[in-house]
């Protein structure tokens, strides 16, 4: 009778009656209710947030009753943490009420099982309640400590200071080590602390240590250990704040010298600077040995941060001024800075060595003289004079520009010989996107083997597709074929019956979506060919694909296409429209009478269309139009901000607006407006290689259609927008001579991108274009100057990219670009912020380049900048560059 009463209360959602009913039930009676409770949980799994016919939702009652009716601790914990019940919001008080009558040992077991679960932080209230009921030790798990921290935030809403609450918290001492070990805790504590420094976690923990509530040594060791372990920038800052709040004594600092050295060597600059300051204080106080000071100098001077390196040289100078006897041990590490990236650091290091050279022995002097080769050509004569070396030791070596090797297109491998090999590659591509060559070879293989033996191919693909995220979700495909970029998965899903033929055919009838973002034309053309291939593998109409490229760039050899059409003619098979259209776009542009005659001789409709295409030269190079001062809008947190940026537009390919091209390809024939403010639905998608392969011979057109992505990498700080630039630089060129305006403007934006990987990709593209003789340094410099003048890019990022390019050995190429940028930055009463960094890189380039590489010309605005008062980086580097140019011009 109790079981019936319990289930009635559960179905009616009467949670207040549950504990009373359950106390009257025996263990077997409770277990007997489990099958019905499981069925009810399954029934309510897919309900909306409210019950279907009004009234109370039975979900909390199901959750609580199931936890109480599972008599085993493991089963009860599994029921409580089941994925479908995580969002049912069953109150912890209700669960504690129905579990309060259980044995303490059982409650302890359940509490520790829940604490070990991945969702422990969401059930902190329940776990801590079970711990109190059972009187058991606090479970020291990461999930539990995250829940504990969140609970302290909730306590703050009820008033009182954090210090007062933690002072009486019995769990604090047990959980203290986990505060420094658990992932995500630092971010929670930083957020909870807010702007009130006195009520922040670091200051509160330090205060509790001063009061003796917490063990100070454990707190210091935990904070240092967490900094040594590493983590995010937020974690580094927070744990450093803990150390700073503790205000370590001299003895505490001396006990941990190896830890400080490790932080100075490998931690982020903020933490490394703190460690350097601590060790510097010891060195000046005589508590740091010469060996340890040399170790610190070697670690810090190896880093790229100029501020840390300069501070270290100042510290070494002060120590050697007080105790010259340490020079033999310390000065060789200073000489390692002769090869530092920053010219000012190199010069300071040389001055420091010269100042204390008389304090070292002959052996150390010889070692220091051997490091002169690390210096740039500008400082070598001074160093040769300092060490008494022959005059030729200070002369620069003949300069030779170092550029990356010119990429050579690779021919695609032969078609897959077996379905097993093909299925293996399909699985690899489904797991991780591949190159154009890999995806095109697999696409052709699916069509080939579906034509030969479709059943065998389907059987081989089933184990591969069974693990895919789309599974058998027909709804996913209905949406995906409407908006998302398609790939190999669409063809594989069509083969294995995971997408209906009706979905494929309806997707082809939708026509123009009306979206006018720059990506849309490339997306529609690519998707149409994939959709067509997904139908071809069902219908087995063609033996292979015509548009499969010959080369890794996506280009197709004309003779090879004619051979494929000849095989189609022999078999009496008509070409698939999208496949044939894509094949035409992959041919080298320009008239080709010889191949046109071969195509005409085939005597087929496709042969005649190909002959006409080859006779007229195919899709020519579109005209370029440039509009300056275009203002594109960006949206952030309901605030509309106008961001200036230039617009580059390309005229369309009028040849693509009609036959033989399907409607999906007509968008390629329209003019490109990269910054059109129409809605773009391709955010977060980056199949750039596939999009670029649609027009492999029209690099500039592809660059224009993807220009918004690169611009956003610089203006909106997005990530990955410049990833396609090296691919474009390595691809086929539309014609002889430099690349077009869209390519140069894309590289210009990319060099000032927010994220380092995007800047590196842009540097790779710039140097590849230079190696191929397709870079116009003047045009790139003009774009950079224009963008800087519009405020669309940050010169500090550009300086970093220029420094990266120069460090590869391309000093002359980098200088040619910077020479055109600097006048725009130096003109006016106030030079552009960050111009000093660019001047430093430019001076390094001129210093490295031979006389025949750096042209004997001046830089407009340089004389005025060098004539300014003061010793800022701008003035110092302007004077240095002026001196170097004068020397080379003379």
């Amino acid at each position: 009778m109790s079981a019936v009463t319990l289930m009635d209360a559960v179905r009616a959602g009467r949670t207040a009656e549950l504990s009373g009913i359950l106390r009257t039930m025996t263990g077997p009676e409770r277990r007997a209710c489990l099958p019905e409770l499981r069925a009810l949980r399954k029934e309510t799994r897919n309900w909306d947030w409210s019950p279907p016919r009004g009234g109370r939702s039975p979900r909390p009652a199901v959750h609580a009753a199931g936890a109480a009716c599972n008599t085993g601790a493991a089963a009860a914990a599994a029921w409580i943490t089941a994925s479908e019940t995580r969002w049912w919001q069953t109150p912890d008080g209700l669960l504690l009420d129905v579990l309060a009558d259980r044995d303490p040992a059982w409650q302890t077991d359940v509490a520790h099982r829940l604490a070990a679960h991945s969702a422990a932080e969401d059930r902190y209230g329940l776990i801590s309640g079970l711990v109190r009921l059972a009187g058991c030790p606090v479970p020291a798990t990461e999930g539990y400590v995250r829940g504990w921290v969140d609970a302290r935030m909730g306590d703050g809403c009820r008033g009182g200071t954090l210090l007062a609450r933690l002072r009486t918290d019995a769990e604090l001492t047990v959980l203290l080590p986990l505060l420094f070990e658990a992932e995500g805790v630092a971010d929670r504590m930083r957020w909870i602390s807010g702007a009130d420094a006195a009520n922040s976690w670091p200051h509160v923990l330090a205060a509790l240590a001063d009061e003796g509530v917490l063990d100070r040594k454990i707190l210091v060791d935990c904070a240092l250990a967490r900094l040594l372990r590493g983590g995010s920038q937020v974690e580094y800052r927070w744990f450093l704040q803990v150390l700073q709040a503790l205000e370590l004594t001299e003895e505490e600092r001396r006990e941990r010298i190896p830890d400080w050295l490790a932080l100075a060597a490998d931690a982020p600059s903020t933490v490394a600077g703190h460690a350097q300051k601590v060790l510097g204080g010891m060195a000046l106080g005589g508590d740091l040995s010469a060996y340890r000071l040399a170790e610190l100098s070697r670690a810090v001077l190896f880093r790229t941060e100029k501020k840390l390196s300069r501070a270290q040289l100042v510290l070494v100078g002060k120590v050697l001024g007080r105790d010259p006897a340490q020079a033999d041990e310390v000065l060789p590490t200073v000489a390692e800075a002769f090869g530092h990236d920053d010219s000012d650091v190199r010069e300071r290091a040389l001055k420091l060595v010269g100042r204390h050279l008389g304090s070292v022995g002959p052996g150390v002097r010889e070692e220091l003289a051997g490091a002169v080769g690390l210096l740039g050509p500008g400082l070598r004569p001074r160093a040769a004079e300092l060490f008494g070396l022959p005059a030729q030791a200070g002369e620069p070596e003949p300069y030779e520009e170092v550029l990356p090797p010119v990429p050579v297109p690779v021919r695609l491998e032969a078609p897959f010989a077996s379905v097993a090999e093909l299925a293996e590659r399909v699985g690899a591509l489904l797991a991780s996107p591949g190159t154009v060559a890999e995806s095109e070879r697999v696409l052709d293989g699916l069509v080939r083997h579906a034509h030969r033996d479709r059943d065998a191919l389907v059987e081989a693909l089933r184990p591969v597709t069974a693990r895919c995220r789309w599974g058998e979700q027909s709804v996913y495909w209905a949406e995906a074929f409407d908006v998302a970029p398609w790939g190999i998965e669409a063809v594989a899903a069509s083969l294995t019956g995971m997408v209906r033929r009706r979905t494929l055919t309806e997707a082809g009838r939708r026509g123009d979506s009306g979206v006018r973002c720059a990506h849309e034309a490339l997306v529609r053309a690519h998707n149409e060919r994939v959709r067509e291939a997904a139908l071809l593998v069902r219908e087995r109409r063609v033996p292979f694909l015509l548009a499969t490229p010959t080369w890794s760039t996506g280009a197709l050899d004309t003779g090879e296409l004619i051979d494929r059409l000849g095989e189609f003619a022999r078999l009496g098979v008509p070409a698939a429209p999208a496949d044939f259209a894509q094949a035409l776009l992959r041919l080298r542009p320009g008239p080709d009478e010889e191949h046109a005659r071969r195509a005409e001789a085939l005597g087929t409709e496709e042969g005649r269309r190909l002959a006409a295409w080859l006779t007229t030269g195919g899709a020519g190079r579109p005209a370029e139009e440039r509009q300056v001062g275009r203002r594109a809008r960006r949206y952030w947190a309901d605030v509309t901000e106008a961001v200036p940026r230039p617009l580059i537009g390309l005229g369309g390919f009028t040849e693509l607006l009609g036959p033989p091209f399907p409607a999906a390809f007509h968008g390629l024939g329209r003019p490109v407006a990269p910054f059109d403010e129409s809605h773009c639905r391709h955010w977060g998608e980056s199949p750039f290689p596939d999009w670029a392969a649609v027009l492999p011979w029209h690099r500039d057109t592809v660059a224009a259609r993807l220009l918004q992505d690169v611009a956003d990498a610089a203006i909106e700080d997005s990530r990955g927008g410049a990833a396609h630039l090296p691919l474009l630089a390595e691809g086929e060129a539309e014609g002889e001579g430099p690349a077009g305006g869209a390519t140069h403007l894309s590289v210009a934006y990319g060099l000032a991108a927010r994220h380092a990987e995007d800047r590196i990709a842009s540097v790779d593209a710039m140097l590849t274009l230079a190696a191929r003789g397709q870079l116009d340094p003047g045009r790139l410099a003009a774009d950079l100057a224009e963008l800087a003048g519009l405020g669309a890019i940050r010169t500090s990022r550009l300086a970093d990219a220029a420094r990266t390019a120069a460090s590869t050995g391309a000093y002359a190429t980098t200088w040619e670009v910077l020479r055109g940028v600097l006048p725009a930055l130096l003109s006016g009463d106030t030079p552009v912020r960050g111009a000093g960094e660019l001047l430093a890189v430019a001076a390094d380039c001129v210093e490295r380049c031979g006389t025949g590489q750096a042209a004997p010309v001046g830089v407009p605005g340089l004389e005025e900048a060098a004539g300014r008062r003061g010793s800022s980086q701008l003035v110092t580097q302007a004077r240095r560059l002026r001196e170097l140019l004068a020397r080379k011009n003379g």
Side-chain angles (χ1 to χ4, degrees), residues 536-570:
L536 290 176
V537 295
R538 286 173 174 266
E539 301 164 358
R540 303 169 64 182
R541 285 192 282 124
V542 298
F544 50 80
L545 293 178
L546 294 172
T548 304
T550 306
W551 307 102
S552 55
T553 58
L556 174 59
D557 181 75
T558 306
E560 190 166 338
L561 175 58
I562 294 174
D563 292 340
R564 294 174 185 174
L565 285 174
E567 180 65 15
F568 272 45
R570 187 185 68 80

Side-chain angles (χ1 to χ4, degrees), residues 208-270:
L208 292 174
D210 292 340
E211 294 176 6
V213 176
L214 296 178
D215 188 312
R216 181 180 175 87
K217 184 177 184 303
I218 292 178
L219 194 56
V220 173
D221 288 342
C222 285
L224 270 175
R226 190 60 177 83
L227 287 172
L228 289 168
R229 183 179 121 187
S232 66
Q233 292 294 331
V234 168
E235 290 170 329
Y236 271 118
R237 285 195 298 269
W238 193 87
F239 293 117
L240 178 60
Q241 288 172 11
V242 174
L243 273 183
Q244 292 171 334
L246 285 167
E247 298 179 351
L248 272 60
T249 64
E250 292 298 324
E251 181 62 29
E252 288 173 326
R253 293 179 176 183
R254 283 194 298 270
E255 289 174 353
R256 296 167 174 84
I257 288 178
D259 293 338
W260 300 119
L261 287 169
L263 291 175
D266 299 320
S269 57
T270 304

Side-chain angles (χ1 to χ4, degrees), residues 91 123 169 213 254 305 317 338 343 464 517 537 607 613 721 727-728 736 755 760 773 782 806 842 869:
R123 285 296 175 189
D169 195 312
V213 176
R254 283 194 298 270
E305 296 95 334
F338 287 177
S343 60
V464 175
C517 80
V537 295
W613 181 264
L727 178 68
L728 290 184
E736 300 298 328
H755 297 285
I760 290 173
R869 296 180 178 179

Side-chain angles (χ1 to χ4, degrees), residues 20-326:
I21 297 172
L22 285 166
R23 288 191 182 94
T24 66
M25 298 176 65
T26 63
E29 288 176 331
R30 293 186 180 194
R31 288 192 295 271
C33 295
L34 285 174
E36 195 171 352
L37 286 170
R38 293 192 187 100
L40 185 56
R41 183 177 66 175
K42 183 177 180 181
E43 178 187 337
T44 60
R45 182 179 299 162
N46 297 320
W47 283 8
D48 293 331
W49 290 105
S50 58
R53 289 181 296 276
R56 297 179 182 177
S57 172
R59 284 173 168 172
V62 171
H63 198 195
C69 289
N70 277 283
T71 54
W79 181 278
I80 293 170
T81 57
S83 58
E84 61 262 41
T85 62
R86 184 172 183 180
W87 305 110
W88 287 7
Q89 299 178 339
T90 305
D92 293 330
L94 174 61
L95 289 169
L96 288 171
D97 196 25
V98 298
L99 300 178
D101 62 335
R102 306 305 292 267
D103 180 76
W106 185 92
Q107 292 170 338
T108 300
D109 195 357
V110 171
H112 283 75
R113 288 178 184 274
L114 293 176
H117 193 269
S118 59
E121 60 199 84
D122 298 329
R123 285 296 175 189
Y124 167 77
L126 172 62
I127 301 169
S128 61
L130 288 172
V131 168
R132 288 194 301 272
L133 287 173
C136 64
V138 174
T141 67
E142 291 194 8
Y144 187 79
V145 76
R146 284 193 290 267
W148 178 81
V149 171
D150 289 344
R152 301 294 81 76
M153 175 183 66
D155 292 342
C157 298
R158 291 189 288 271
T161 65
L162 179 63
L163 177 61
R165 295 194 299 272
L166 292 183
R167 189 181 284 126
T168 57
D169 195 312
E171 295 181 330
L172 175 60
T173 54
V174 178
L175 298 179
L176 179 63
L178 278 175
L179 289 177
F180 297 87
E181 296 174 10
E183 295 294 334
V185 170
D187 193 47
R188 281 172 159 84
M189 289 190 286
R190 178 183 66 91
W191 185 77
I192 293 169
S193 299
D196 185 1
N199 200 40
S200 68
W201 280 85
H203 287 85
V204 167
L205 292 176
L208 292 174
D210 292 340
E211 294 176 6
V213 176
L214 296 178
D215 188 312
R216 181 180 175 87
K217 184 177 184 303
I218 292 178
L219 194 56
V220 173
D221 288 342
C222 285
L224 270 175
R226 190 60 177 83
L227 287 172
L228 289 168
R229 183 179 121 187
S232 66
Q233 292 294 331
V234 168
E235 290 170 329
Y236 271 118
R237 285 195 298 269
W238 193 87
F239 293 117
L240 178 60
Q241 288 172 11
V242 174
L243 273 183
Q244 292 171 334
L246 285 167
E247 298 179 351
L248 272 60
T249 64
E250 292 298 324
E251 181 62 29
E252 288 173 326
R253 293 179 176 183
R254 283 194 298 270
E255 289 174 353
R256 296 167 174 84
I257 288 178
D259 293 338
W260 300 119
L261 287 169
L263 291 175
D266 299 320
S269 57
T270 304
V271 178
H274 178 78
Q276 181 189 35
K277 184 178 179 181
V278 170
L279 292 169
M282 295 185 203
L284 294 174
D287 294 328
L288 196 68
S289 66
Y291 173 78
R292 290 297 196 186
L293 178 59
E295 188 177 357
L296 171 64
S297 300
R298 186 177 295 108
V300 172
L301 294 175
F302 182 75
R303 299 176 66 109
T304 59
E305 296 95 334
K306 294 176 286 187
K307 183 177 179 180
L308 293 179
S309 298
R310 293 170 185 172
Q312 189 62 29
L313 293 176
V314 171
L315 171 64
V316 171
K318 290 180 178 179
V319 172
L320 294 183
R322 297 182 180 185
D323 185 6
Q326 297 191 33

